Amino acid sequence: MLLSNTCIYGLRASVLLASKHGDKFVTIRELSEELNISFHFLTKVLQQLTKSEILQSYKGPNGGVKLAKKASEITFMDVVISIDGNNIMKECALGMPVCSELKPCPLHDQWTAMKGNILNMMNTVSLDQLAANRHTDTLYNSYIAHARKE
Amino acid sequence: MLLSNTCIYGLRASVLLASKHGDKFVTIRELSEELNISFHFLTKVLQQLTKSEILQSYKGPNGGVKLAKKASEITFMDVVISIDGNNIMKECALGMPVCSELKPCPLHDQWTAMKGNILNMMNTVSLDQLAANRHTDTLYNSYIAHARKE
DNA sequence: TATAAATAAGATAAAATAGTCTTAATTCAG
DNA sequence: CTGAATTAAGACTATTTTATCTTATTTATA
Ligand code: SF4
Ligand code: SF4
């Protein structure tokens, strides 16, 4: 919708790699099974990330892929750009006929603010943050409390 | 990106119709020329809006399409649902592997807030608001001032 | 009533995206 | 050196989206 399917696969695999936080190579087979993505397709996607030097790969026995840098140094945006290119969110999703800097449509301010938020979050959130399961007891409990009500 | 191309065409045509604010039928040919969209393709798109009773159409000489209701009573969302269906923004564009209510990824709060904003704006903004060119002198002047600097 | 002006409907084509499969290249272990 | 494990590369297929083209159908008007 916002990101291509392919890109989401790449993100998921990258986050999974980050969560394994080892310096060992992980086989794409293992990733594909854990993520339930076709091995062959995931291979293609990860080849792209390897080309972009986000991942490092190694062939042969004990080979596989791993992050090329520390998970804290790879942003969400790095992966997105590698796969979906850097036009993400450049054009407006609304594309109203009156659209221009001089004649913005009524949604413009809100839209550009949201766009900024999304881009900002993509640029600042790193793989390690995504890998960290941020769920807290507080949230968990409030969810349980909510679930109990029904 | 967020909306399909087809949906954007539908929106543009609807807004253009709203801006013509007459009760007369407008030919799709005229709309397609003003919007620079293929006549045949636009015809298809508008047929869908007609089926959804957002537009009303009339065949034959002096025929065409027009809004089926007042522009203030048709929301952005009405058009979106008619063309892109009502799953818009139901699934998250990020789809991280840790995603669930219990184990949200670190982007979850910001994402759901933005999602809410988008849906809210789609639900509340009507075609007449979109048709109104909201540009003010203030904005215009600040733009000009900005442009002059370069 | 005949003709022309329109939309409706549906067949077809083209392009983009997603997915599969086969073969090549590299590397380790024996 | 050989064979197995692994990614790389590229051909191929399938699906979805976008676009075009053709043929109905409806309606006004001369
Ligand atoms: S004016 Fe702004 S929000 Fe509206 S269509 Fe243009 S870029 Fe998008
Ligand atoms: S936790 Fe929230 S933001 Fe993260 S992938 Fe799931 S729905 Fe999207």
Side-chain angles (χ1 to χ4, degrees):
Chain A
M1 191 181 37
L2 186 63
L3 304 174
S4 71
N5 233 309
T6 309
C7 184
I8 288 176
Y9 290 167
L11 280 164
R12 292 219 263 237
S14 303
V15 171
L16 183 53
L17 275 174
S19 80
K20 291 184 181 290
H21 58 263
D23 199 40
K24 287 174 300 190
F25 286 101
V26 179
T27 67
I28 299 177
R29 176 73 58 187
E30 176 179 337
L31 295 173
S32 76
E33 280 166 3
E34 284 196 44
L35 294 170
N36 212 29
I37 301 173
S38 139
F39 166 71
H40 287 292
F41 193 49
L42 188 57
T43 293
K44 268 246 184 111
V45 178
L46 299 193
Q47 274 171 24
Q48 176 58 35
L49 293 179
T50 301
K51 271 187 201 153
S52 305
E53 299 185 347
I54 288 166
L55 300 187
Q56 190 185 337
S57 70
Y58 201 78
K59 289 173 182 174
N62 310 316
V65 294
K66 67 179 180 184
L67 299 182
K69 296 183 266 186
K70 274 189 283 182
S72 58
E73 289 167 0
I74 302 173
T75 66
F76 191 109
M77 186 61 99
D78 290 334
V79 176
V80 169
I81 286 178
S82 169
I83 297 175
D84 275 354
N86 49 17
N87 281 325
I88 174 84
M89 309 225 60
K90 283 258 170 78
E91 346 98 27
C92 170
L94 311 172
M96 293 291 104
V98 292
C99 174
S100 79
E101 283 297 324
L102 284 169
K103 297 188 170 192
C105 83
L107 305 173
H108 189 77
D109 292 345
Q110 202 172 353
W111 176 258
T112 43
M114 285 189 298
K115 186 160 82 170
N117 279 342
I118 295 176
L119 293 178
N120 186 58
M121 106 189 164
M122 286 184 178
N123 273 315
T124 57
V125 172
S126 58
L127 294 188
D128 63 331
Q129 290 175 277
L130 286 167
N133 180 332
R134 138 226 104 132
H135 125 251
T136 67
D137 276 3
T138 320
L139 271 170
Y140 178 80
N141 290 332
S142 75
Y143 176 78
I144 292 296
H146 175 74
R148 284 232 176 98
K149 283 191 197 151
E150 343 236 341
Chain B
M1 191 181 39
L2 186 64
L3 305 174
S4 72
N5 233 310
T6 309
C7 184
I8 288 175
Y9 290 167
L11 280 164
R12 292 219 263 237
S14 304
V15 171
L16 182 53
L17 275 173
S19 80
K20 291 184 182 290
H21 57 263
D23 199 40
K24 289 173 301 190
F25 287 102
V26 179
T27 66
I28 299 178
R29 176 74 58 187
E30 175 179 338
L31 296 173
S32 76
E33 279 166 7
E34 283 196 45
L35 295 170
N36 212 28
I37 300 172
S38 139
F39 165 72
H40 288 292
F41 192 50
L42 188 58
T43 294
K44 270 253 181 97
V45 178
L46 299 192
Q47 274 171 24
Q48 176 58 36
L49 292 180
T50 301
K51 271 187 200 152
S52 305
E53 300 184 349
I54 289 166
L55 300 187
Q56 190 187 336
S57 70
Y58 199 79
K59 291 176 184 171
N62 312 316
V65 293
K66 66 180 181 184
L67 300 182
K69 295 182 266 186
K70 275 190 282 182
S72 58
E73 288 167 1
I74 302 172
T75 65
F76 191 110
M77 186 62 100
D78 290 333
V79 176
V80 169
I81 285 178
S82 168
I83 297 176
D84 275 353
N86 49 15
N87 281 324
I88 175 84
M89 309 227 57
K90 283 261 169 74
E91 347 99 25
C92 171
L94 310 173
M96 291 292 102
V98 293
C99 174
S100 79
E101 283 298 324
L102 284 170
K103 297 188 171 193
C105 82
L107 305 174
H108 188 77
D109 292 344
Q110 202 172 351
W111 176 258
T112 43
M114 286 189 298
K115 185 160 83 172
N117 278 343
I118 295 176
L119 293 178
N120 186 57
M121 106 189 163
M122 285 184 179
N123 273 315
T124 57
V125 172
S126 59
L127 294 189
D128 63 331
Q129 291 176 277
L130 285 167
N133 179 335
R134 136 227 105 135
H135 126 251
T136 66
D137 275 3
T138 319
L139 271 170
Y140 178 79
N141 290 332
S142 75
Y143 175 79
I144 292 294
H146 175 75
R148 285 230 176 100
K149 282 191 197 149
E150 342 238 342

